Amino acid sequence: MAALMDPTQALAAPATPVPILTYHNIGKVPQGATHPGLYLALDKFRAQLALLARHGYRGVSMDEGLPFLRGERKGRVAIITFDDGYLDNLELALPALREHGFSATCYLVAERIGGFNAWDSELLRVRKPLMDLPRIREWLDGGMKIGSHTLTHPRLTRIDPTQMRHEIAGSKAALEDRLGMAVDHFCFPYGDHDRACVAAAAAAGYATAVTNERGRVRRGRNLLALPRVGSGRRSSQLFRARMLLWGL
Ligand SMILES: [Zn+2]
């Protein structure tokens, strides 16, 4: 008897390893802010996009990248992701992405839309504005995509399992309701996840979920626990080296 396919075991099968790039804020590091690695200056971001383009990579959203992850399409793509939904993604990153005809996926915190990074503002000593609903529509109208990054940005393995499932499934429902569109992609806050979280993402109906594990997506990777490539301020040299030496 053929076993039913376990949705938690949908596996990637790319023809060549696919990089998923991670970004947070684009722009200058605010005065007094800790964790400068969460920021990438606009000129450096633009240089990374130009480098991708020069080496034949197309920067795509998770929606557009999914057939490449599944091995249904072949080609040089880099999936571009932004965590948290910062306003600077719209104001600074979007025009730069459009110059190259690239797209990207921004993971939104459903109950913090129009607010600020309440989950780490004290630690980082800075309140960073998040896109509100009209700005998110501008992001979408500009050819960009969105995904879910939970309701409130908790560490999912440290909260009650019922609450964990609600953060994962409830944020999908909330975003779909407010934006009137399907939300098929998820990002684990802090990359924090375990088997139960992956199962919850599958049960909620997500097609993909990304972590903070480092690496490109190779054949056999679980689509609901995908690794990503860092692209922050401190790793610009590394980014360039990777591009030149290994084809990212
Ligand atoms: Zn986050």
Side-chain angles (χ1 to χ4, degrees):
M1 192 181 96
L4 282 175
M5 196 180 126
D6 179 352
T8 64
Q9 291 298 318
L11 302 181
T16 54
V18 174
I20 304 175
L21 303 175
T22 312
Y23 297 97
H24 288 82
N25 286 102
I26 300 299
K28 290 192 188 112
V29 181
Q31 197 90 36
T34 60
H35 297 66
L38 293 174
Y39 298 82
L40 184 65
L42 179 59
D43 60 337
K44 288 186 176 155
F45 179 63
R46 292 172 63 103
Q48 291 189 357
L49 298 184
L51 206 55
L52 286 172
R54 204 177 316 141
H55 288 264
Y57 282 92
R58 197 155 51 83
V60 298
S61 65
M62 187 58 82
D63 293 85
E64 212 181 327
L66 186 54
F68 293 87
L69 294 177
R70 286 176 170 157
E72 296 160 2
R73 287 190 66 187
K74 289 180 186 169
R76 269 194 153 183
V77 293
I79 298 171
I80 300 178
T81 65
F82 291 88
D83 288 12
D84 305 335
Y86 296 109
L87 186 54
D88 60 39
N89 297 174
L90 174 75
E91 293 178 340
L92 300 178
L94 184 145
L97 289 162
R98 285 185 60 119
E99 272 177 38
H100 292 284
F102 287 178
S103 185
T105 292
C106 183
Y107 295 107
L108 305 172
V109 182
E111 287 186 2
R112 298 291 176 264
I113 285 172
F116 65 95
N117 56 316
W119 58 89
D120 67 1
S121 57
E122 287 189 13
L123 176 72
L124 303 185
R125 295 195 209 129
V126 62
R127 287 187 172 198
K128 300 183 281 189
L130 298 164
M131 288 188 274
D132 60 13
L133 218 47
R135 299 300 175 90
I136 292 167
R137 291 197 196 286
E138 280 181 53
W139 173 261
L140 294 167
D141 290 345
M144 305 296 143
K145 302 287 186 180
I146 59 141
S148 167
H149 198 31
T150 70
L151 292 166
T152 63
H153 206 286
R155 288 187 187 272
L156 290 169
T157 67
R158 298 191 193 170
I159 60 175
D160 171 80
T162 305
Q163 189 60 27
M164 176 272 285
R165 288 191 289 272
H166 180 55
E167 287 275 352
I168 292 173
S171 56
K172 185 177 196 292
L175 291 170
E176 289 181 343
D177 187 48
R178 293 187 76 177
L179 293 162
M181 58 188 290
V183 175
D184 298 326
H185 307 287
F186 184 77
C187 174
F188 294 105
Y190 312 101
D192 183 39
H193 69 287
D194 57 15
R195 287 173 64 96
C197 297
V198 171
Y206 289 105
T208 71
V210 292
T211 70
N212 287 353
E213 192 192 325
R214 294 299 180 220
R216 291 176 292 166
V217 181
R218 297 172 187 279
R219 177 175 289 273
R221 291 306 306 240
N222 189 332
L223 288 172
L224 292 169
L226 293 168
R228 293 191 286 178
V229 177
S231 43
R233 181 171 171 262
R234 286 178 184 157
S235 59
S236 284
Q237 294 305 320
L238 187 60
F239 184 93
R240 187 174 178 81
R242 275 198 187 115
M243 286 280 321
L244 298 175
L245 296 175
W246 314 324
L248 205 88

